Amino acid sequence: MKSRTMALTSVAAVVVAAGLVFQVQPAVDQTPVFGGPDDVTYAKALWTELEEARLVGDNPIHSYFYAGTEPHGFVLEIFDTELTVAEHTGRVMVKNNYGPEGVEPEAVSDDPGGHLAAVTVMFRREAGYDDDNKNWFWAKYLPNGELDKNPAGMQLAGRVAKGAEMGCIACHSAAPGDDYLYVTDRPD
Ligand code: HEC
């Protein structure tokens, strides 16, 4: 009797364990690391605040244009400030990427809007958002505020592309100063 009860108990344990596996598996599959509905909604809220701060949109403030390299574009411009999105205030880095290949900073100064190719943004979110990567939210927008997509069709917003060998997080984790930023060393 005793051994039969034990056998039943271990069968039950296996069934419970299998149930857990089946329950956990779909949830993992359904939540993309980036580009999911929550990321897209957040990216829209971020764009709205950037427009409000006149860092993007119809009448943006411009700074000094300088020659850059791929992947970010041939002429670049960076803004570094604080922004409040969904009641959280954090540091924001906006990088405007201008083209086409071979364009000179002078030509971009004469017509910034006509040369803008993409807007890449890093926004430092609340603790717990992505502690592995200093809680940065990454987004790449087209000049009209729509999100750009990767070759697989995923929208570039959120933890882009956490765990992958290429992409925003992989490349920026190599930036000096432990802040994921190339232009500054301000870890906190
Ligand atoms: C292959 C490497 C690489 C990838 C991939 C990359 N970046 Fe960068 N990024 C850089 C470098 C290098 C700089 C600074 C130098 C420069 O271009 O002026 C930079 C600068 C920036 C800056 C200005 C702040 C800083 O770090 O100096 C922002 C914002 C930014 N990138 C956002 C992004 C986003 C968002 C993505 C993904 C959509 C991305 N980057 C993908 C290399 C990369």
Side-chain angles (χ1 to χ4, degrees), residues 1-2 14 37 39 54 57 78 84 89 94-96 98 110 121 132-134 142 156 163 173 180 183-184 186-187:
M1 245 341 242
K2 196 179 172 199
V14 170
D39 292 325
R54 289 189 53 205
I78 297 178
T84 302
T89 302
V94 179
K95 179 194 271 277
N96 288 328
Y98 298 94
D110 292 342
V121 180
D132 301 340
N133 298 296
K134 298 254 169 187
L142 301 173
L156 297 175
S173 65
Y180 285 69
V183 291
T184 62
R186 282 190 251 159

Side-chain angles (χ1 to χ4, degrees), residues 66 71-72 76 78 93 95 120-122 138-140 167-168 171-172 180-183:
Y66 68 97
H72 277 300
L76 304 171
I78 297 178
M93 300 292 288
K95 179 194 271 277
T120 38
V121 180
M122 295 169 64
W138 309 78
K140 183 171 183 183
C168 318
C171 194
H172 276 256
Y180 285 69
L181 296 170
Y182 279 95
V183 291

Side-chain angles (χ1 to χ4, degrees), residues 71-123:
H72 277 300
F74 301 96
V75 174
L76 304 171
E77 179 189 33
I78 297 178
F79 297 103
D80 173 359
T81 185
E82 280 201 336
L83 200 69
T84 302
V85 179
E87 296 180 359
H88 167 75
T89 302
R91 188 171 179 203
V92 70
M93 300 292 288
V94 179
K95 179 194 271 277
N96 288 328
N97 310 280
Y98 298 94
E101 184 169 3
V103 73
E104 298 290 333
E106 293 73 17
V108 173
S109 305
D110 292 342
D111 180 15
H115 289 94
L116 186 60
V119 179
T120 38
V121 180
M122 295 169 64
F123 179 63

Side-chain angles (χ1 to χ4, degrees), residues 30-95:
Q30 281 165 16
T31 312
V33 185
F34 65 92
D38 289 354
D39 292 325
V40 172
T41 305
Y42 198 90
K44 283 193 180 133
L46 175 56
W47 182 267
T48 304
E49 294 303 333
L50 289 168
E51 266 186 325
E52 197 71 26
R54 289 189 53 205
L55 294 176
V56 299
D58 289 340
N59 187 23
I61 298 164
H62 283 297
S63 75
Y64 174 74
F65 301 97
Y66 68 97
T69 49
E70 282 294 283
H72 277 300
F74 301 96
V75 174
L76 304 171
E77 179 189 33
I78 297 178
F79 297 103
D80 173 359
T81 185
E82 280 201 336
L83 200 69
T84 302
V85 179
E87 296 180 359
H88 167 75
T89 302
R91 188 171 179 203
V92 70
M93 300 292 288
V94 179
K95 179 194 271 277

Side-chain angles (χ1 to χ4, degrees), residues 147-162:
L147 286 166
D148 199 1
K149 294 179 183 161
N150 70 4
M154 292 172 79
Q155 299 189 84
L156 297 175
R159 304 168 188 90
V160 190
K162 186 169 177 162

